[in-house]
Amino acid sequence: MTLLTDDQRQLHDMAKSFLAEEGTIKKQLRHWRDTGCKDGFGHGLWKQFAELGLTGIAIPEDNGGLGLGATEAALVLEEVGRNLTPSPFLTTAVAAARALEGTAQGNRWFPGILAGDTVAALAIDEGKHHRPGAVATTATRSGNGFTLSGAKQFVVHGASADVILVAARTGGSVGEREGVTLFAVERDANGLDIENVTLADHSKAARLTFNDVVVDADAVVGEVDNGWAPLSRALNAGRAGSAAELVGVAAGSADMTTDYLKQRKQFGKLIGEFQALQHRAAHLFSEIEIARAAAYKAAELLDAGSDRAELMVHVAKAKAGRAAALSVQEGVQMHGGIGMTDEHDIGFYMKRQAVLDRLFGDWRFHAGEVARLAGY
């Protein structure tokens, strides 16, 4: 398990108290769901993230951010997951910020992100499953820029984002990493059709269609044909971050279930006194601790620039996905009938796990990548 510094503990304590107060299910998730919010999150809370400096957690200090690493982002995201707080923190402040660092587009968008005025989205996947190498959307040179044609799916916050980072092919063939270029496309670009979709956990994602969307050459993030470099930074940050958030989802669900076991009585006894349930709770605790260790190890290796970081990120996302699935399934089952009702919060954890597991690739994808990198 990663040993935290004093500064990291202070950051974690701050995020924990802030989200436990302002990011609760009642104040955020239920409120925005029940009021039919088109964004699925509150911009007021996003401004509060900014006031605490959290929107700049991964933005370099030279650009006004905190210049912190994946470990610090994981500490915040675990609390986001524990409280099921809907926000663009993962996609904007962590993944997109990593893609934009060191680029001219970063200088363009970082001030808005730091102020909590700007939301960014990533448009990568085009099919039913996460396959970032299978980019088929094309970007052909035209005049002083490019014309984008194609479609994207599962673009989280795509209808709310001010800027969308789009992976498109300027060369090579589908399935190749070479020839992919990353573009920063503004939401109101001519020819960009956006279908806003409500997901199972009540968050929002979009289907995007690019009908000959024209962008100028300045929209390129990084270098033409070499977009895999900024894209891989975003993917590693997003995968490690979502693993940490899944650990938070698992821990929040487990905490709620443990409290229930200590309160609910059957046959004159607290149900937590039954040995069969104690065994299941102990097994769940150990699985969450293993997932947490994997998530923070992945973040630590990313921060260290280790050659093993990519492998550990895949391990962390796969393990966190399985641990969170076990936690939410056990949670709903141990709550009994009330666990299936909308009045109780435990069901929200199951819905969030289902969506978050698939964001940046589900556990099957990452288990496959672990096998591939191990030479199988």
Side-chain angles (χ1 to χ4, degrees):
M1 182 67 184
T2 300
L3 297 178
L4 301 180
T5 65
D6 289 343
D7 288 344
Q8 288 170 336
R9 288 194 189 91
Q10 289 179 10
L11 173 69
H12 179 238
D13 291 344
M14 181 270 286
K16 185 175 183 178
S17 61
F18 164 59
L19 292 167
E21 177 66 26
E22 300 296 335
T24 63
I25 294 173
K26 181 179 179 180
K27 280 188 176 181
Q28 300 296 332
L29 199 160
R30 277 191 184 275
H31 173 74
W32 297 119
R33 182 199 67 167
D34 294 346
T35 55
C37 175
K38 68 178 181 59
D39 298 320
F41 68 91
H43 289 271
L45 186 72
W46 187 229
K47 291 290 285 186
Q48 288 181 276
F49 270 80
E51 291 166 2
L52 293 172
L54 296 176
T55 55
I57 195 165
I59 293 176
E61 290 181 283
D62 291 345
N63 293 102
L66 297 179
L68 299 177
T71 302
E72 288 80 4
L75 292 168
V76 178
L77 282 162
E78 183 173 348
E79 298 309 313
V80 169
R82 187 187 307 276
N83 293 282
L84 301 182
T85 307
S87 84
F89 179 76
L90 174 60
T91 51
T92 299
V94 178
R98 288 299 184 203
L100 292 168
E101 68 182 18
T103 70
Q105 283 294 325
N107 298 331
R108 163 74 175 82
W109 295 104
F110 280 158
I113 295 173
L114 287 166
D117 295 328
T118 296
V119 171
L122 296 172
I124 303 170
D125 292 323
E126 301 181 9
K128 294 180 179 179
H129 303 289
H130 179 66
R131 298 291 183 270
V135 172
T137 295
T138 60
T140 54
R141 290 188 181 275
S142 60
N144 189 36
F146 296 84
T147 299
L148 275 64
S149 300
K152 298 287 185 181
Q153 295 196 45
F154 199 20
V155 182
V156 175
H157 305 309
S160 310
D162 303 280
V163 57
I164 304 167
L165 304 184
V166 182
R169 188 161 295 284
T170 47
S173 302
V174 175
E176 295 179 348
R177 295 183 174 184
E178 294 75 16
V180 171
T181 302
L182 201 58
F183 294 89
V185 179
E186 299 190 30
R187 182 181 54 190
D188 58 358
N190 289 331
L192 175 57
D193 291 338
I194 300 176
E195 179 189 0
N196 200 17
V197 178
T198 301
L199 303 180
D201 64 343
H202 313 294
S203 64
K204 305 292 182 180
R207 298 188 181 100
L208 308 182
T209 304
F210 297 85
N211 300 305
D212 296 331
V213 174
V214 177
V215 296
D216 61 34
D218 292 339
V220 174
V221 178
E223 300 177 7
V224 175
D225 289 342
N226 290 318
W228 193 259
L231 183 59
S232 63
R233 290 199 302 269
L235 288 172
N236 278 331
R239 290 164 175 168
S242 57
E245 186 174 340
L246 278 164
V247 170
V249 170
S253 172
D255 289 347
M256 188 173 288
T257 303
T258 301
D259 287 344
Y260 187 74
L261 296 180
K262 294 177 179 177
Q263 297 172 18
R264 174 68 170 164
K265 286 187 175 181
Q266 284 285 326
F267 310 110
K269 296 177 64 175
L270 293 170
I271 60 175
E273 296 180 57
F274 296 118
Q275 194 173 46
L277 296 186
Q278 291 175 352
H279 285 171
R280 288 165 61 180
H283 175 231
L284 177 57
F285 175 83
S286 65
E287 290 296 299
I288 294 173
E289 288 303 304
I290 294 170
R292 179 178 284 115
Y296 282 94
K297 188 64 179 179
E300 178 186 338
L301 293 180
L302 278 178
D303 291 339
S306 170
D307 292 340
R308 297 179 58 245
E310 182 181 359
L311 173 63
M312 199 63 206
V313 166
H314 290 306
V315 170
K317 186 65 165 63
K319 182 60 185 176
R322 297 306 297 148
L326 176 67
S327 181
V328 300
Q329 289 165 5
E330 290 285 54
V332 169
Q333 191 174 72
M334 290 188 195
H335 275 79
I338 196 173
M340 299 296 293
T341 66
D342 186 68
E343 287 74 13
H344 202 286
D345 288 341
I346 191 68
F348 287 117
Y349 285 91
M350 177 170 278
K351 295 171 182 174
R352 182 57 181 157
Q353 181 277 328
V355 172
L356 188 57
D357 181 54
R358 285 155 182 78
L359 182 60
F360 298 114
D362 64 13
W363 71 269
R364 293 177 180 83
F365 171 83
H366 290 287
E369 288 299 289
V370 171
R372 182 183 64 81
L373 291 173
Y376 292 99

